Amino acid sequence: MYSDEQIALCRYRLEKSAEFLADAEKTLTFEMYDTAANRSYYAIFHAVRALFALDGKDFKKHSGVIAFFQMDYIKTGVFEKRMSDIIKSAFSLRTDSDYEDFFMISHDEVKRQVAEAAEFYENISEYLKTKI
């Protein structure tokens, strides 16, 4: 079904996602909101890329990752639309936080995003357990 390389890459990316999620949770407690937004987005991003490892796909641009996830996993009903909303919201907040001058993230925004990243990770992780 899947090659040893695909499975290894999937597991590596999922582990990376878990590490970014842990970083997001830690930086949130230290009130490092920009960093928590960044790390929580990348937890989501790498969880999606773990899926793609089994598909033999990857994309250089974040927009490609999001679009393919929506096309192959949301529109087909593998995951609920909420998962699409989570990744789009996280991407937007991370982009604003990283690139917009004078952008301020509230504690509540980041807390919500970190919680949603944890939810996203759990959904992807549970799905992957059925595949590998």
Side-chain angles (χ1 to χ4, degrees):
M1 182 133 110
Y2 300 114
S3 72
D4 291 343
E5 292 81 15
Q6 285 173 301
I7 293 170
L9 183 57
C10 175
R11 287 183 176 148
Y12 169 78
R13 288 177 177 173
L14 194 60
E15 183 178 310
K16 192 168 188 143
S17 174
E19 290 171 6
F20 278 113
L21 182 57
D23 288 347
E25 291 166 344
K26 287 176 198 168
T27 55
L28 176 61
T29 64
F30 291 118
E31 298 182 0
M32 300 170 63
Y33 299 149
D34 290 343
T35 304
N38 180 284
R39 299 293 85 180
S40 59
Y41 167 72
Y42 278 102
I44 293 167
F45 178 77
H46 288 295
V48 172
R49 290 184 69 233
L51 289 172
F52 293 176
L54 298 182
D55 294 331
K57 304 253 188 229
D58 204 8
F59 299 89
K60 300 240 184 251
K61 295 186 177 193
H62 292 254
S63 59
V65 169
I66 294 168
F68 187 79
F69 177 69
Q70 290 174 326
M71 185 174 62
D72 273 24
Y73 290 94
I74 302 298
K75 289 185 180 180
T76 60
V78 174
F79 294 106
E80 294 178 6
K81 184 183 179 308
R82 174 163 167 67
M83 296 280 282
S84 175
D85 296 340
I86 289 171
I87 194 172
K88 288 190 291 187
S89 174
F91 176 72
S92 179
L93 188 62
R94 193 273 314 179
T95 301
D96 289 347
S97 171
D98 284 354
Y99 300 111
E100 293 296 322
D101 292 330
F102 306 112
F103 184 80
M104 299 291 292
I105 302 175
S106 73
H107 175 266
D108 290 343
E109 285 177 303
V110 176
K111 185 176 178 182
R112 178 188 48 78
Q113 182 162 305
V114 171
E116 288 177 346
E119 175 187 343
F120 195 97
Y121 172 84
E122 287 303 318
N123 281 316
I124 299 289
S125 183
E126 288 301 313
Y127 174 80
L128 288 173
K129 285 179 187 176
T130 70
K131 299 294 179 188
I132 55 172

